[in-house]
Amino acid sequence: MATRAVLLPLASEPPPTGAAEVRRTPSIGRPIVAYDAAIGEGARWTFLATQGLTAPYTLRVLGIMASATSGTVVLGAAIEAVTPADALDLDAGESFDAVNSQVSGAVPGTAGYLFLTTITLTNADSIAAGDYVRLEILRDATHASDTAAGDFYLLAAELRDAV
Amino acid sequence: MATRFVFGPTSTDLVTSLPAYEGEVQRRPVIVYDEVGFRQSVWTAIAPSGLLFPLTVVLHGIMASATSGAVALFAQAEAITPGDALNLLDTQSFGAAGSAIQNVPATAGVEFAATIDLGVADSMVDGDLIRFTISRNSSNASDTASGAYYLLAAEFRDSA
């Protein structure tokens, strides 16, 4: 498995609606994307698909809970891959593939402990080397399986392929 | 030796405690480590697969005005594996610091490199959430160069 992109909070972009908030943990100052527990929120990253990219793809999401010590969170990832000359007006539209959804394992019994959620990117918008890519990571807070209280803080995410 | 990370001035985490700060010299982004004591910058990443230790850091920098003396530079790594018993909300867990006492060039503005051995870098493994700090401690007895040190880029190499 090769690392193809590392997504960090300070490099994220807000979606037009429902943006998760980029800020820092209060005492240590770690940059985070804070996903609310009450409504679905997202954050996006832009990059170019690297040469040699090979399916299948997985996204490793590393995060902590602000306060929850039980329950699960429902995370999703959506990809928009645009090849030069695609019939898509990037000034007026977007073209994300369907969301890949994943219920996390039980969150750690202590808030602030790092945990990993791996999302299989079955819906990868036919991404190809050289594509202009946006990837959105969402929390589906209203999903029945999102039972953890309080914010989910994303610290980093890693896109891996099969190489 | 394989390059694993290259960090520049515009990708720091902008720490709020004892920060070095971003600056610009001749349209070059720099991180300014001034002469008032301990100054630090932090970068976040994810440990790639296939890392072979030891890890070394090569710092590329210039002096703002100094033409003699040395700077005392330090680097640390923090590696956190999912499931580690560490509360990231209020705790840090950096490994031992590596250091370099590097003589500065006789002309200010001339680039020079300082190499720091980070050893096993907090025993980082593939997929860890990692952070690196780069610091200057101008209060260190060996830090005899006057004025600011400007960091231009930092390259992290492993033994692969």
Side-chain angles (χ1 to χ4, degrees), chain A residues 77-100:
Chain A
I79 291 178
E80 176 192 63
V82 183
T83 304
D86 274 358
L88 177 67
D89 181 353
L90 300 186
D91 193 33
E94 54 186 24
S95 177
F96 281 92
D97 204 340
V99 173
N100 303 277

Side-chain angles (χ1 to χ4, degrees), chain B residues 49-110:
Chain B
S49 59
L51 270 179
L52 288 179
F53 299 111
L55 207 62
T56 57
V57 190
V58 181
L59 306 178
H60 297 262
I62 58 177
M63 297 306 294
S65 58
T67 56
S68 64
V71 286
L73 301 171
F74 302 85
Q76 285 179 288
E78 177 191 60
I80 303 165
T81 304
D84 277 358
L86 180 72
N87 186 337
L88 304 189
L89 291 168
D90 55 19
T91 311
Q92 305 189 79
S93 178
F94 284 96
S99 65
I101 307 299
Q102 185 64 49
N103 290 328
V104 307
T107 303
V110 172

